[in-house]
Amino acid sequence: MQILLLGKYGQLGWELHRSLGTLGEVAAFDSPEIDLSHPEGIRQVVQQVKPDVIINATAYTAVDRAESESETAHTINAVAPGIMAEVAFAHDTALIHYSTDYVFDGAQNRPYLETDSPNPLSVYGQSKLDGERAIQQIGGAYLILRTSWVYSLRRDSFVTKVLSWSRQQKTLRVVADQVSNPTWARMLAEATAQLLAKAGTRPARWVSQYSGLYHLAGFGYASRLDWAKAILDADSRPAEQLTQEILPAQTADFPTPARRPLFSALDCQRFMDTFNLRLPDWQEALTLAMAEIQSTP
Ligand SMILES: NC(=O)c1ccc[n+]([C@@H]2O[C@H](COP(=O)([O-])OP(=O)(O)OC[C@H]3O[C@@H](n4cnc5c(N)ncnc54)[C@H](OP(=O)(O)O)[C@@H]3O)[C@@H](O)[C@H]2O)c1
């Protein structure tokens, strides 16, 4: 299988690059080799690689900056995925794309289903929703995997920030009113690879039977406050922590340019029922992720 991976240096893309190698040949790109703010370049890359599947792990993910750079966010998160879907359709190629819980307004009090109506509160959320719609409009063999609160340990993430704050501050104040599914990028990458392993040598044909939108995130959900506490509990170098207390805060205590949904947990049952795969419990995944960070000197 010939795989075209876009976004190989991102949190998810890095892990995908690691996980996909057993499935075939991976041609992987990221900025600056490819610049999706000029998305027409995608056509040339696809001509060159002739992939059986395109996996798009690129995104404009600077949620706050997107408020003042809406055009760039729209080009990368909406126009580029639309072009990917177009070339995938034209070349009988499958497309796997990722989206976000930020397409929802977070006003609900039960995890969101794929059938719930999106209502993004931010430019980022709107641009990702526009990307989903651009792909759906073209159709073909595609899977859109909506995920949430992705973290890795090799780029800045909530996990690395909490660890770093804990080395500097006696008291941490963390928002208790934002709730979603913490998702370790590695688990998301591995589930993607397992999914593709089911697709055999003609992924477009297999994927076309299931084309659509699926929620795929860490199993279970938590508030940012609970997540922060779990991070510090799993820290195997607690002696380095200065933090003595973690206090609950409200989103309104930390004004940001972009509004974020309060309750945006995703219900992943549809993905489980369709593919017989799920991501592990978010706490188990966090423990595994943290064990890895602790083993580095
Ligand atoms: N992070 C989260 O909490 C979260 C939550 C829900 C959904 N998601 C979705 O999950 C997917 C993966 O997210 P992630 O956290 O892995 O993102 P990430 O770490 O920010 O990685 C995104 C990658 O895209 C690249 N990129 C950005 N602009 C580009 C451009 N103009 N041309 C080419 N490449 C460009 C980035 O390169 P540079 O670093 O050089 O800019 C980076 O390597 C995305 O679809 C995202 O929307 C993420």
Side-chain angles (χ1 to χ4, degrees):
M1 192 190 306
Q2 190 72 25
I3 300 166
L4 172 58
L5 170 64
L6 300 171
K8 67 175 173 180
Y9 297 134
Q11 298 194 91
L12 174 60
W14 177 271
E15 298 293 347
L16 281 166
H17 205 183
R18 239 174 138 255
S19 303
L20 294 169
T22 54
L23 295 172
E25 219 168 295
V26 183
F29 297 85
D30 206 321
S31 80
E33 303 144 345
I34 180 166
D35 179 5
L36 294 188
S37 57
H38 301 284
E40 289 296 326
I42 294 162
R43 296 180 199 281
Q44 205 185 332
V45 175
V46 171
Q47 289 254 318
Q48 181 194 323
V49 175
K50 299 190 179 18
D52 299 299
V53 57
I54 302 170
I55 304 186
N56 179 28
T58 65
Y60 182 106
T61 54
V63 176
D64 288 317
R65 193 155 23 99
E67 294 298 309
S68 53
E69 292 186 357
S70 59
E71 208 171 308
T72 310
H74 181 79
T75 305
I76 295 166
N77 291 346
V79 178
I83 292 176
M84 288 173 208
E86 214 181 291
V87 285
F89 187 73
H91 293 88
D92 197 23
T93 297
L95 172 64
I96 298 182
H97 173 78
Y98 300 88
S99 189
T100 173
D101 55 320
Y102 281 18
V103 298
F104 294 116
D105 60 18
Q108 210 165 266
N109 54 12
R110 57 147 178 87
Y112 281 89
L113 297 165
E114 291 81 350
T115 47
D116 287 323
S117 298
N119 181 29
L121 301 175
S122 62
V123 166
Y124 166 75
Q126 183 64 54
S127 69
K128 294 294 291 183
L129 179 61
D130 292 345
E132 292 180 4
R133 289 181 172 158
I135 293 170
Q136 287 163 325
Q137 210 169 352
I138 305 283
Y142 72 88
L143 300 173
I144 299 170
L145 306 177
R146 265 193 203 141
T147 191
S148 68
W149 286 9
V150 177
Y151 66 92
S152 78
L153 301 168
R154 50 167 297 282
R155 278 179 74 130
D156 271 355
S157 67
F158 185 73
V159 174
T160 57
K161 278 185 198 155
V162 168
L163 285 174
S164 148
W165 295 335
S166 78
R167 269 69 178 158
Q168 295 157 16
Q169 298 170 32
K170 283 194 176 154
T171 301
L172 296 189
R173 292 176 68 240
V174 182
V175 294
D177 58 352
Q178 284 180 33
V179 173
S180 197
N181 326 61
T183 303
W184 186 19
R186 175 156 318 158
M187 295 299 169
L188 185 55
E190 288 187 355
T192 304
Q194 287 181 26
L195 185 65
L196 263 187
K198 290 174 185 269
T201 49
R202 301 280 307 274
R205 185 184 289 179
W206 186 82
V207 167
S208 66
Q209 303 170 72
Y210 305 105
S211 283
L213 174 66
Y214 298 86
H215 290 174
L216 180 60
F219 191 82
Y221 52 86
S223 68
R224 286 213 184 255
L225 176 68
D226 292 338
W227 188 15
K229 286 180 177 167
I231 292 164
L232 295 194
D233 285 348
D235 181 356
S236 71
R237 295 180 190 161
E240 292 178 10
Q241 290 180 21
L242 291 183
T243 300
Q244 291 162 358
E245 55 177 359
I246 309 186
L247 301 177
Q250 299 296 300
T251 299
D253 298 336
F254 301 104
T256 51
R259 282 180 69 202
R260 285 155 173 81
L262 292 185
F263 185 93
S264 60
L266 300 175
D267 181 319
C268 304
Q269 195 63 39
R270 181 175 188 226
F271 185 88
M272 267 192 262
D273 292 345
T274 310
F275 301 111
N276 203 20
L277 286 172
R278 51 159 268 193
L279 297 197
D281 178 271
W282 73 268
Q283 281 161 303
E284 276 172 34
L286 178 66
T287 307
L288 289 170
M290 294 290 287
E292 182 152 306
I293 207 177
Q294 305 307 341
S295 66
T296 54

Short mmCIF file of all heavy atoms in Angstrom, two decimals, residues 54-105:
data_model
loop_
_atom_site.label_atom_id
_atom_site.label_comp_id
_atom_site.label_asym_id
_atom_site.label_seq_id
_atom_site.Cartn_x
_atom_site.Cartn_y
_atom_site.Cartn_z
N ILE A 54 -4.60 8.79 1.29
CA ILE A 54 -4.04 10.06 1.78
C ILE A 54 -4.49 10.19 3.24
O ILE A 54 -5.68 10.07 3.53
CB ILE A 54 -4.59 11.27 0.99
CG1 ILE A 54 -4.28 11.14 -0.50
CG2 ILE A 54 -4.05 12.58 1.55
CD1 ILE A 54 -5.02 12.17 -1.38
N ILE A 55 -3.53 10.46 4.12
CA ILE A 55 -3.90 10.70 5.52
C ILE A 55 -3.52 12.13 5.86
O ILE A 55 -2.35 12.51 5.78
CB ILE A 55 -3.19 9.71 6.46
CG1 ILE A 55 -3.51 8.28 6.01
CG2 ILE A 55 -3.61 9.94 7.90
CD1 ILE A 55 -2.99 7.21 6.92
N ASN A 56 -4.52 12.91 6.23
CA ASN A 56 -4.26 14.33 6.47
C ASN A 56 -4.20 14.63 7.97
O ASN A 56 -5.23 14.76 8.62
CB ASN A 56 -5.35 15.19 5.83
CG ASN A 56 -5.10 16.67 6.09
OD1 ASN A 56 -3.95 17.08 6.26
ND2 ASN A 56 -6.16 17.45 6.14
N ALA A 57 -2.98 14.76 8.46
CA ALA A 57 -2.80 15.13 9.87
C ALA A 57 -2.37 16.58 10.00
O ALA A 57 -1.99 17.03 11.08
CB ALA A 57 -1.77 14.22 10.53
N THR A 58 -2.42 17.34 8.92
CA THR A 58 -2.10 18.77 9.01
C THR A 58 -3.33 19.52 9.51
O THR A 58 -4.45 19.06 9.33
CB THR A 58 -1.73 19.40 7.65
OG1 THR A 58 -2.88 19.36 6.81
CG2 THR A 58 -0.58 18.71 6.98
N ALA A 59 -3.10 20.63 10.11
CA ALA A 59 -4.21 21.52 10.47
C ALA A 59 -3.61 22.82 10.97
O ALA A 59 -2.47 22.84 11.46
CB ALA A 59 -5.09 20.91 11.55
N TYR A 60 -4.39 23.86 10.87
CA TYR A 60 -4.07 25.12 11.54
C TYR A 60 -4.72 24.97 12.91
O TYR A 60 -5.94 25.03 13.03
CB TYR A 60 -4.66 26.29 10.76
CG TYR A 60 -4.34 27.64 11.37
CD1 TYR A 60 -3.40 28.48 10.78
CD2 TYR A 60 -4.98 28.06 12.53
CE1 TYR A 60 -3.11 29.72 11.35
CE2 TYR A 60 -4.68 29.29 13.10
CZ TYR A 60 -3.76 30.11 12.50
OH TYR A 60 -3.46 31.34 13.06
N THR A 61 -3.91 24.70 13.95
CA THR A 61 -4.48 24.35 15.26
C THR A 61 -4.32 25.46 16.31
O THR A 61 -4.63 25.23 17.49
CB THR A 61 -3.82 23.06 15.80
OG1 THR A 61 -2.41 23.23 15.79
CG2 THR A 61 -4.21 21.84 15.01
N ALA A 62 -3.83 26.62 15.90
CA ALA A 62 -3.66 27.72 16.87
C ALA A 62 -5.03 28.37 17.08
O ALA A 62 -5.40 29.34 16.40
CB ALA A 62 -2.64 28.73 16.34
N VAL A 63 -5.78 27.83 18.03
CA VAL A 63 -7.20 28.17 18.20
C VAL A 63 -7.39 29.68 18.43
O VAL A 63 -8.26 30.30 17.82
CB VAL A 63 -7.80 27.35 19.36
CG1 VAL A 63 -9.24 27.75 19.63
CG2 VAL A 63 -7.70 25.86 19.06
N ASP A 64 -6.56 30.28 19.27
CA ASP A 64 -6.73 31.71 19.56
C ASP A 64 -6.25 32.58 18.39
O ASP A 64 -6.91 33.54 18.02
CB ASP A 64 -6.01 32.09 20.85
CG ASP A 64 -6.76 31.53 22.06
OD1 ASP A 64 -8.00 31.63 22.07
OD2 ASP A 64 -6.11 30.97 22.97
N ARG A 65 -5.10 32.20 17.81
CA ARG A 65 -4.55 33.00 16.71
C ARG A 65 -5.50 32.99 15.51
O ARG A 65 -5.58 33.96 14.75
CB ARG A 65 -3.15 32.49 16.34
CG ARG A 65 -2.40 33.41 15.44
CD ARG A 65 -0.88 33.29 15.52
NE ARG A 65 -0.34 32.05 15.99
CZ ARG A 65 0.13 31.08 15.19
NH1 ARG A 65 0.11 31.20 13.88
NH2 ARG A 65 0.65 29.99 15.71
N ALA A 66 -6.23 31.89 15.36
CA ALA A 66 -7.16 31.78 14.21
C ALA A 66 -8.18 32.91 14.20
O ALA A 66 -8.66 33.32 13.14
CB ALA A 66 -7.87 30.42 14.25
N GLU A 67 -8.50 33.46 15.39
CA GLU A 67 -9.50 34.54 15.44
C GLU A 67 -9.06 35.74 14.61
O GLU A 67 -9.88 36.46 14.06
CB GLU A 67 -9.75 34.97 16.90
CG GLU A 67 -10.39 33.89 17.76
CD GLU A 67 -11.79 33.47 17.30
OE1 GLU A 67 -12.63 34.36 17.09
OE2 GLU A 67 -12.02 32.25 17.15
N SER A 68 -7.72 35.95 14.55
CA SER A 68 -7.24 37.10 13.76
C SER A 68 -6.61 36.65 12.44
O SER A 68 -6.12 37.48 11.67
CB SER A 68 -6.23 37.91 14.58
OG SER A 68 -5.23 37.06 15.05
N GLU A 69 -6.60 35.32 12.18
CA GLU A 69 -6.03 34.83 10.91
C GLU A 69 -7.03 33.89 10.26
O GLU A 69 -6.70 32.76 9.88
CB GLU A 69 -4.71 34.08 11.18
CG GLU A 69 -3.59 34.99 11.65
CD GLU A 69 -2.24 34.28 11.78
OE1 GLU A 69 -2.15 33.05 11.57
OE2 GLU A 69 -1.26 34.99 12.10
N SER A 70 -8.26 34.37 10.17
CA SER A 70 -9.33 33.48 9.73
C SER A 70 -9.14 32.98 8.29
O SER A 70 -9.45 31.84 7.98
CB SER A 70 -10.69 34.15 9.89
OG SER A 70 -10.71 35.31 9.14
N GLU A 71 -8.53 33.82 7.47
CA GLU A 71 -8.37 33.40 6.07
C GLU A 71 -7.37 32.24 5.96
O GLU A 71 -7.63 31.25 5.27
CB GLU A 71 -7.87 34.60 5.26
CG GLU A 71 -8.30 34.52 3.82
CD GLU A 71 -7.99 35.81 3.09
OE1 GLU A 71 -8.39 36.88 3.58
OE2 GLU A 71 -7.34 35.74 2.04
N THR A 72 -6.27 32.36 6.69
CA THR A 72 -5.27 31.27 6.66
C THR A 72 -5.87 29.99 7.25
O THR A 72 -5.70 28.89 6.71
CB THR A 72 -4.01 31.68 7.48
OG1 THR A 72 -3.61 32.96 7.06
CG2 THR A 72 -2.88 30.71 7.31
N ALA A 73 -6.57 30.14 8.38
CA ALA A 73 -7.17 28.96 9.01
C ALA A 73 -8.15 28.29 8.04
O ALA A 73 -8.17 27.06 7.91
CB ALA A 73 -7.89 29.37 10.30
N HIS A 74 -8.92 29.11 7.34
CA HIS A 74 -9.90 28.55 6.40
C HIS A 74 -9.20 27.82 5.25
O HIS A 74 -9.60 26.74 4.84
CB HIS A 74 -10.80 29.67 5.88
CG HIS A 74 -11.84 29.19 4.93
ND1 HIS A 74 -13.00 28.57 5.35
CD2 HIS A 74 -11.90 29.20 3.57
CE1 HIS A 74 -13.72 28.22 4.29
NE2 HIS A 74 -13.07 28.60 3.21
N THR A 75 -8.13 28.42 4.75
CA THR A 75 -7.42 27.79 3.62
C THR A 75 -6.87 26.43 4.02
O THR A 75 -7.04 25.43 3.32
CB THR A 75 -6.27 28.71 3.14
OG1 THR A 75 -6.82 29.98 2.83
CG2 THR A 75 -5.57 28.14 1.92
N ILE A 76 -6.21 26.38 5.20
CA ILE A 76 -5.55 25.12 5.61
C ILE A 76 -6.57 24.09 6.09
O ILE A 76 -6.45 22.90 5.79
CB ILE A 76 -4.50 25.43 6.71
CG1 ILE A 76 -3.38 26.30 6.13
CG2 ILE A 76 -3.93 24.15 7.32
CD1 ILE A 76 -2.48 26.95 7.15
N ASN A 77 -7.58 24.54 6.83
CA ASN A 77 -8.51 23.59 7.45
C ASN A 77 -9.73 23.26 6.60
O ASN A 77 -10.42 22.27 6.88
CB ASN A 77 -8.99 24.15 8.80
CG ASN A 77 -7.89 24.17 9.83
OD1 ASN A 77 -6.84 23.54 9.64
ND2 ASN A 77 -8.09 24.89 10.92
N ALA A 78 -10.00 24.08 5.60
CA ALA A 78 -11.21 23.82 4.81
C ALA A 78 -10.91 23.66 3.32
O ALA A 78 -11.29 22.66 2.71
CB ALA A 78 -12.22 24.95 5.02
N VAL A 79 -10.16 24.62 2.73
CA VAL A 79 -9.91 24.54 1.29
C VAL A 79 -9.01 23.33 0.98
O VAL A 79 -9.30 22.54 0.08
CB VAL A 79 -9.27 25.86 0.75
CG1 VAL A 79 -8.96 25.75 -0.72
CG2 VAL A 79 -10.19 27.05 1.04
N ALA A 80 -7.92 23.19 1.76
CA ALA A 80 -6.97 22.10 1.47
C ALA A 80 -7.63 20.71 1.59
O ALA A 80 -7.48 19.90 0.67
CB ALA A 80 -5.74 22.22 2.40
N PRO A 81 -8.39 20.42 2.64
CA PRO A 81 -9.05 19.11 2.70
C PRO A 81 -10.02 18.90 1.53
O PRO A 81 -10.15 17.78 1.02
CB PRO A 81 -9.81 19.13 4.03
CG PRO A 81 -9.09 20.13 4.86
CD PRO A 81 -8.55 21.15 3.92
N GLY A 82 -10.65 19.98 1.06
CA GLY A 82 -11.54 19.86 -0.09
C GLY A 82 -10.77 19.43 -1.34
O GLY A 82 -11.20 18.56 -2.10
N ILE A 83 -9.58 20.02 -1.51
CA ILE A 83 -8.75 19.64 -2.67
C ILE A 83 -8.26 18.19 -2.51
O ILE A 83 -8.24 17.42 -3.47
CB ILE A 83 -7.58 20.63 -2.85
CG1 ILE A 83 -8.16 21.99 -3.27
CG2 ILE A 83 -6.57 20.13 -3.88
CD1 ILE A 83 -7.16 23.11 -3.40
N MET A 84 -7.91 17.82 -1.28
CA MET A 84 -7.50 16.42 -1.05
C MET A 84 -8.62 15.46 -1.44
O MET A 84 -8.38 14.42 -2.07
CB MET A 84 -7.15 16.19 0.43
CG MET A 84 -5.86 16.85 0.85
SD MET A 84 -5.62 16.70 2.65
CE MET A 84 -4.65 18.16 2.95
N ALA A 85 -9.85 15.80 -1.06
CA ALA A 85 -10.99 14.93 -1.39
C ALA A 85 -11.19 14.87 -2.91
O ALA A 85 -11.46 13.79 -3.46
CB ALA A 85 -12.25 15.47 -0.71
N GLU A 86 -10.98 16.00 -3.54
CA GLU A 86 -11.16 16.05 -5.00
C GLU A 86 -10.14 15.15 -5.71
O GLU A 86 -10.52 14.35 -6.56
CB GLU A 86 -10.91 17.50 -5.40
CG GLU A 86 -11.73 18.04 -6.54
CD GLU A 86 -11.30 19.47 -6.77
OE1 GLU A 86 -11.59 20.32 -5.89
OE2 GLU A 86 -10.64 19.74 -7.79
N VAL A 87 -8.87 15.27 -5.32
CA VAL A 87 -7.85 14.44 -6.00
C VAL A 87 -8.00 12.97 -5.60
O VAL A 87 -7.79 12.08 -6.41
CB VAL A 87 -6.39 14.91 -5.76
CG1 VAL A 87 -6.07 16.13 -6.56
CG2 VAL A 87 -6.07 15.15 -4.32
N ALA A 88 -8.41 12.73 -4.35
CA ALA A 88 -8.62 11.34 -3.92
C ALA A 88 -9.74 10.72 -4.77
O ALA A 88 -9.60 9.61 -5.28
CB ALA A 88 -8.99 11.30 -2.43
N PHE A 89 -10.79 11.46 -4.95
CA PHE A 89 -11.93 10.97 -5.73
C PHE A 89 -11.50 10.69 -7.17
O PHE A 89 -11.81 9.64 -7.75
CB PHE A 89 -13.04 12.02 -5.69
CG PHE A 89 -14.32 11.57 -6.31
CD1 PHE A 89 -15.13 10.64 -5.66
CD2 PHE A 89 -14.72 12.06 -7.54
CE1 PHE A 89 -16.32 10.21 -6.24
CE2 PHE A 89 -15.91 11.64 -8.12
CZ PHE A 89 -16.70 10.71 -7.47
N ALA A 90 -10.73 11.61 -7.74
CA ALA A 90 -10.32 11.48 -9.14
C ALA A 90 -9.36 10.30 -9.35
O ALA A 90 -9.32 9.74 -10.45
CB ALA A 90 -9.66 12.78 -9.60
N HIS A 91 -8.60 9.92 -8.32
CA HIS A 91 -7.58 8.88 -8.49
C HIS A 91 -7.95 7.58 -7.78
O HIS A 91 -7.09 6.74 -7.55
CB HIS A 91 -6.21 9.36 -7.99
CG HIS A 91 -5.62 10.46 -8.81
ND1 HIS A 91 -5.90 11.78 -8.57
CD2 HIS A 91 -4.80 10.44 -9.88
CE1 HIS A 91 -5.24 12.54 -9.45
NE2 HIS A 91 -4.58 11.74 -10.26
N ASP A 92 -9.21 7.43 -7.40
CA ASP A 92 -9.65 6.21 -6.71
C ASP A 92 -8.77 5.93 -5.47
O ASP A 92 -8.26 4.83 -5.27
CB ASP A 92 -9.61 5.01 -7.67
CG ASP A 92 -10.44 3.86 -7.14
OD1 ASP A 92 -11.34 4.12 -6.32
OD2 ASP A 92 -10.17 2.70 -7.52
N THR A 93 -8.59 6.97 -4.69
CA THR A 93 -7.73 6.94 -3.50
C THR A 93 -8.61 7.19 -2.27
O THR A 93 -9.55 7.99 -2.34
CB THR A 93 -6.67 8.06 -3.64
OG1 THR A 93 -5.85 7.76 -4.77
CG2 THR A 93 -5.80 8.19 -2.42
N ALA A 94 -8.28 6.53 -1.16
CA ALA A 94 -9.03 6.79 0.08
C ALA A 94 -8.46 8.02 0.78
O ALA A 94 -7.27 8.34 0.62
CB ALA A 94 -8.93 5.57 0.99
N LEU A 95 -9.29 8.70 1.55
CA LEU A 95 -8.84 9.87 2.32
C LEU A 95 -9.24 9.68 3.78
O LEU A 95 -10.41 9.38 4.07
CB LEU A 95 -9.49 11.14 1.77
CG LEU A 95 -9.27 12.43 2.61
CD1 LEU A 95 -7.80 12.83 2.65
CD2 LEU A 95 -10.11 13.59 2.04
N ILE A 96 -8.26 9.85 4.66
CA ILE A 96 -8.56 9.86 6.10
C ILE A 96 -8.19 11.25 6.62
O ILE A 96 -7.07 11.73 6.41
CB ILE A 96 -7.79 8.76 6.86
CG1 ILE A 96 -8.21 7.39 6.33
CG2 ILE A 96 -8.04 8.86 8.37
CD1 ILE A 96 -7.57 6.21 7.01
N HIS A 97 -9.16 11.87 7.28
CA HIS A 97 -9.00 13.25 7.72
C HIS A 97 -9.48 13.33 9.18
O HIS A 97 -10.34 12.56 9.59
CB HIS A 97 -9.86 14.15 6.81
CG HIS A 97 -9.93 15.57 7.25
ND1 HIS A 97 -8.91 16.47 7.03
CD2 HIS A 97 -10.91 16.28 7.88
CE1 HIS A 97 -9.26 17.66 7.51
NE2 HIS A 97 -10.47 17.57 8.04
N TYR A 98 -8.94 14.30 9.92
CA TYR A 98 -9.30 14.44 11.33
C TYR A 98 -10.00 15.78 11.56
O TYR A 98 -9.64 16.80 10.97
CB TYR A 98 -8.04 14.36 12.21
CG TYR A 98 -7.33 13.04 12.03
CD1 TYR A 98 -6.38 12.87 11.03
CD2 TYR A 98 -7.66 11.94 12.82
CE1 TYR A 98 -5.75 11.65 10.82
CE2 TYR A 98 -7.04 10.71 12.62
CZ TYR A 98 -6.09 10.58 11.62
OH TYR A 98 -5.50 9.36 11.41
N SER A 99 -10.99 15.74 12.44
CA SER A 99 -11.65 16.98 12.80
C SER A 99 -11.74 17.08 14.33
O SER A 99 -11.04 16.35 15.03
CB SER A 99 -13.02 17.06 12.13
OG SER A 99 -13.56 18.36 12.32
N THR A 100 -12.57 17.96 14.81
CA THR A 100 -12.46 18.36 16.21
C THR A 100 -13.81 18.47 16.93
O THR A 100 -14.83 18.78 16.31
CB THR A 100 -11.75 19.74 16.28
OG1 THR A 100 -11.78 20.22 17.63
CG2 THR A 100 -12.42 20.78 15.41
N ASP A 101 -13.75 18.29 18.24
CA ASP A 101 -14.93 18.52 19.10
C ASP A 101 -15.32 20.01 19.11
O ASP A 101 -16.42 20.35 19.52
CB ASP A 101 -14.62 18.05 20.53
CG ASP A 101 -13.37 18.70 21.11
OD1 ASP A 101 -12.38 18.87 20.37
OD2 ASP A 101 -13.36 19.05 22.30
N TYR A 102 -14.38 20.90 18.66
CA TYR A 102 -14.69 22.33 18.68
C TYR A 102 -15.70 22.72 17.59
O TYR A 102 -16.02 23.89 17.45
CB TYR A 102 -13.41 23.16 18.56
CG TYR A 102 -12.64 23.27 19.87
CD1 TYR A 102 -12.87 22.39 20.93
CD2 TYR A 102 -11.67 24.24 20.06
CE1 TYR A 102 -12.15 22.48 22.12
CE2 TYR A 102 -10.95 24.34 21.26
CZ TYR A 102 -11.19 23.46 22.27
OH TYR A 102 -10.49 23.55 23.45
N VAL A 103 -16.21 21.74 16.85
CA VAL A 103 -17.33 22.05 15.93
C VAL A 103 -18.63 22.20 16.73
O VAL A 103 -19.63 22.69 16.20
CB VAL A 103 -17.54 20.97 14.83
CG1 VAL A 103 -16.30 20.86 13.94
CG2 VAL A 103 -17.92 19.62 15.40
N PHE A 104 -18.61 21.78 18.01
CA PHE A 104 -19.82 21.86 18.84
C PHE A 104 -19.76 23.09 19.75
O PHE A 104 -18.68 23.58 20.09
CB PHE A 104 -19.97 20.59 19.68
CG PHE A 104 -20.23 19.36 18.84
CD1 PHE A 104 -19.32 18.32 18.81
CD2 PHE A 104 -21.39 19.25 18.08
CE1 PHE A 104 -19.57 17.18 18.03
CE2 PHE A 104 -21.65 18.13 17.30
CZ PHE A 104 -20.73 17.10 17.28
N ASP A 105 -20.96 23.52 20.21
CA ASP A 105 -20.97 24.69 21.09
C ASP A 105 -20.84 24.32 22.57
O ASP A 105 -20.67 25.19 23.42
CB ASP A 105 -22.22 25.57 20.85
CG ASP A 105 -23.54 24.83 21.10
OD1 ASP A 105 -23.52 23.78 21.78
OD2 ASP A 105 -24.58 25.30 20.62
#
